[in-house]
Every structure is written in structure tokens, then in C-alpha cells.
Amino acid sequence: MNIDNIEAFIYVCQLGSFNKAAEALFLTQPSVSARIQSLEREMNIKLFLRQGNKVSLTDKGEYFFPHAQKILQSYQEAKYRLQQELLPNELKFGCALSIANNVLPSMLPDFKAKFNNVRMKIITGHSKDVLQKVINQEVDFGIIRRETHPEIEGIHLYDDPISLFVSNGHILLKQETITLEQVAKYPLIFFDYGSMDWLYIHRIFSTNRISPNISLEVDNMETAKNLVIQGMGISFLPEHCVKKELQKEQLVRVELTPPIRMNISIDFIYVKGSSQSVFINYFKERLFS
């Protein structure tokens, strides 16, 4: 009996929909339907009644459901025990410095509790550098700004808004409305030359035929953030890297008129074919549950 078919059956039962089961399993709806049909043929019974987009269990499907749960649970427990015995003693994780500082601390305690004998090595760098390290298998996986490559699978984590931030007490905060033209009068700190963030911000100024007053360019957003706090200039920064500074009122978000909306996609990436790694499966479940 194919365990993937049983898993698809359980997901459809629990979510009440082939489409929702497909989303949860990272499959297409026809793939889930094919798995259910294969299971029905193998058992020579009808498991679901289909009425349009709605599905419900048949009497035989109701009877089989708890047994299917036991089969899947037993399989998963055995698989976990076997993987624990063969588990590597080191995990290498690639990500941007700002993600290491602001996102990972909330993720890693649970990981260490589950895999307490595994030593973690976190390697930081620009998104393109981390992508290359994943491709070369120098790291097991990475969290980066969206980059595409035929050897890589990427799963969308979240959209990271980019806003304009100034130090508390900055003269711009005294203005009732703040335009892009006004912003261009003040020293602007840019980071990560050539990145998508950098290109987005430059495009906004060039589209409006405005020349920004670039006073400093640095190679990472952490440095840019700290320079803004010190009053060296203002900067467009991703929201994830300024949460603590906003809470401490060291930085203030500035809303522009007319509003400007910018987002950067943050992805969890790994080499195609490595999705059965116990580590990757753990983080996928942790991040997307």
C-alpha cells in the first residue's frame, strides 16, 4: 500500500477539500485526486462521495480513516527513528546577516530542543552568495531574498515590506506630509549595491525624475540601520530588520505622500531532490504550519 496515497487520503479527510489538501502537501489538485483514485482501486472501495467542490466520506471511508491514521503514524515514527540514527551531526544554514539577527533567534530554540546533538553552523552573506553556497552544497539550505535557479527549489516564506526610516527626532517628522522630493533633500544611506532592494529604490527615484542625495553606500542593511540611528542619514529598510529599534523608538517609520509600496519576497531554498532531508522537512513544517 502506497504511503503517499494514504497521506493524501488523511489530508482530504481533515481539510475537507482536494484543493486544500493539495496546498498543504505542496501538490497539484490532479495529483491528489490521482492518489485517492489509486488508493480506491487498490482497496476496491469508494472512499469519497463527490458533489461539485464538496467531498464527504462514504461509510467505508469513515471506517478506514482511523486505520489510515494509525498506518501513517506508525510509518512516520519508524522513519523518524531510522533518520535519527543516521542523522548528520552538523547542519549548515545560509542566510542574510539581518535574517540571522532578527528571524533565526525565534526559530532555533525549538530546533535545538528536537535535535540537541546536532551542531549548527550559520553562514551569513548576500542572497546571491548564499544561493551559490546552496547550489554548491556548502550549506544545507538557506533563507534569502528571492533568487531563481534551475537547480534550486524555493518556498515563499513571506513578503518583507520596505519603508523609509529616520532617527527619532529627525526634522522630517515635523512635516505634515512628506514627498519624495523632500526626501531627496536629506542624506540617504543605500545598502547592498545591485540588490533587488537597491534597484527598487533607485527605480522609484528615476521614475519620478528625482535625484536622491546619496551620502553613504554600505554593503549590508545592519550597518545602514545603525548609521540611521546615529543620525548619519535616512534609509529605506526592510521591516524585519528594524522591529526592535521601532519598539525602542530608536527609529521611526515615515509615510510618504503619495504612498509608496515596496515588498521583497523572502524564500526558503534548498537543492532539488533534497526535500526528504529530515532537517528540511522539520523547517518546512515549522515555517509553514
Side-chain angles (χ1 to χ4, degrees):
M1 188 172 287
N2 188 309
I3 201 70
D4 291 335
N5 295 346
I6 291 177
E7 184 180 48
F9 168 71
I10 291 170
Y11 270 74
V12 174
C13 291
Q14 291 176 332
L15 299 176
S17 162
F18 278 65
N19 283 328
K20 289 179 181 178
E23 290 177 6
L25 291 167
F26 301 102
L27 296 171
T28 62
Q29 188 272 332
S31 296
V32 171
S33 295
R35 291 185 181 189
I36 298 300
Q37 290 168 5
S38 175
L39 183 61
E40 288 178 328
R41 286 195 300 271
E42 187 176 5
M43 299 182 66
N44 196 30
I45 60 172
K46 195 170 185 63
L47 296 167
F48 291 103
L49 295 172
R50 298 166 178 82
Q51 297 177 329
N53 293 329
K54 295 182 179 180
V55 293
S56 58
L57 284 167
T58 63
D59 290 342
K60 290 182 178 180
E62 290 273 9
Y63 175 82
F64 180 60
F65 179 56
H67 295 283
Q69 288 180 306
K70 290 178 183 177
I71 292 169
L72 183 61
Q73 183 179 3
S74 178
Y75 168 79
Q76 288 176 335
E77 286 179 359
K79 181 181 176 181
Y80 174 75
R81 295 299 178 191
L82 289 170
Q83 287 177 328
Q84 284 290 91
E85 292 177 6
L86 302 172
L87 205 60
N89 63 2
E90 183 177 78
L91 172 66
K92 294 180 181 178
F93 195 140
C95 63
L97 179 61
S98 63
I99 290 173
N101 288 341
N102 302 286
V103 178
L104 287 189
S106 64
M107 295 168 49
L108 298 187
D110 286 346
F111 176 87
K112 288 299 290 183
K114 189 175 182 69
F115 305 103
N116 61 316
N117 294 323
V118 176
R119 183 174 67 254
M120 289 197 70
K121 186 174 183 179
I122 299 171
I123 299 172
T124 62
H126 296 303
S127 291
K128 290 185 183 296
D129 297 332
V130 173
L131 171 67
Q132 199 58 50
K133 288 182 185 300
V134 173
I135 294 168
N136 296 337
Q137 298 186 26
E138 297 173 48
V139 297
D140 296 285
F141 48 83
I143 294 181
I144 64 172
R145 284 170 287 178
R146 177 160 295 171
E147 298 279 352
T148 57
H149 192 280
E151 297 178 35
I152 293 297
E153 288 189 35
I155 301 175
H156 179 66
L157 285 181
Y158 60 90
D159 288 319
D160 197 13
I162 296 177
S163 302
L164 178 65
F165 293 94
V166 302
S167 59
N168 199 345
H170 194 279
I171 191 171
L172 270 176
L173 299 176
K174 297 179 181 179
Q175 307 293 327
E176 289 186 9
T177 58
I178 302 169
T179 64
L180 202 60
E181 289 84 354
Q182 288 173 298
V183 170
K185 296 176 183 178
Y186 295 91
L188 190 63
I189 299 170
F190 265 31
F191 67 89
D192 208 358
Y193 177 87
S195 68
M196 288 303 296
D197 315 52
W198 188 92
L199 293 171
Y200 280 172
I201 297 162
H202 263 280
R203 188 178 298 124
I204 288 170
F205 281 102
S206 62
T207 300
N208 288 276
R209 298 182 180 180
I210 298 170
S211 297
N213 176 16
I214 302 172
S215 63
L216 280 167
E217 289 205 39
V218 295
D219 66 357
N220 68 83
M221 65 185 70
E222 292 294 309
T223 301
K225 173 180 69 177
N226 289 324
L227 289 171
V228 174
I229 292 171
Q230 295 302 317
M232 294 290 293
I234 62 179
S235 185
F236 289 90
L237 295 165
E239 296 275 342
H240 81 260
C241 83
V242 296
K243 289 180 179 178
K244 293 178 182 176
E245 290 75 18
L246 287 173
Q247 290 173 354
K248 294 178 181 178
E249 298 184 350
Q250 293 174 303
L251 291 176
V252 181
R253 183 189 295 103
V254 171
E255 299 294 342
L256 298 178
T257 304
I260 293 175
R261 299 285 179 258
M262 291 184 289
N263 287 292
I264 293 292
S265 293
I266 304 297
D267 289 356
F268 178 86
I269 65 166
Y270 51 90
V271 173
K272 286 182 177 177
S274 62
S275 60
Q276 295 307 308
S277 159
V278 64
F279 294 148
I280 290 175
N281 280 332
Y282 167 82
F283 278 106
K284 283 169 65 175
E285 291 172 5
R286 172 79 168 81
L287 294 168
F288 312 123
S289 61

